[in-house]
């Protein structure tokens, strides 16, 4: 496991939907599972999709899938986002 990363490999099945809460402009990049919820902290700013791209990259690494297999379903401009693992 990488420092600041939670192992979410059990979510790597195609069709799995992953709900996350994002904190942009955080002090460090991290994926944390706490109280049944997944929180993603990114250091990037939430403008022009930069934070979404950083969240997608970090979440893909934690789940153990390619970044292109994670699709943002809902929440492009919100802190609460829903990603789906594509086949």
């Amino acid at each position: 496991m990488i420092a600041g990363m939670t192992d979410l490999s059990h979510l790597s099945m195609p069709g799995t939907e992953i709900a996350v809460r994002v904190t942009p402009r955080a002090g460090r990049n991290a994926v944390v599972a706490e109280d049944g919820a997944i929180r993603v902290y990114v250091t990037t700013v939430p403008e022009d999709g930069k934070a979404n791209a950083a969240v997608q990259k970090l979440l893909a690494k934690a789940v153990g899938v390619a970044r292109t297999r994670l699709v943002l379903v809902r929440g492009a401009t919100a802190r609460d986002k829903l990603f789906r693992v594509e086949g």
Side-chain angles (χ1 to χ4, degrees):
M1 183 169 73
I2 299 169
M5 297 291 274
T6 300
D7 180 24
L8 300 174
S9 59
H10 64 282
L11 299 174
S12 64
M13 297 298 297
T16 302
E17 292 189 339
I18 306 167
V20 298
R21 176 117 177 137
V22 177
T23 302
R25 291 188 296 244
R28 62 186 170 88
N29 289 329
V31 177
V32 180
E34 55 190 19
D35 300 327
I38 300 171
R39 297 197 52 117
V40 181
Y41 300 91
V42 292
T43 58
T44 56
V45 294
E47 62 183 29
D48 300 327
K50 292 176 187 174
N52 286 339
V55 169
Q56 183 183 28
K57 183 178 177 180
L58 277 176
L59 190 58
K61 186 176 279 193
V63 173
V65 298
R67 180 185 52 81
T68 56
R69 286 188 55 204
L70 274 184
V71 176
L72 181 61
V73 177
R74 185 174 59 235
T77 60
R79 290 182 59 167
D80 293 316
K81 300 181 184 303
L82 182 68
F83 286 91
R84 181 182 309 119
V85 178
E86 295 293 322

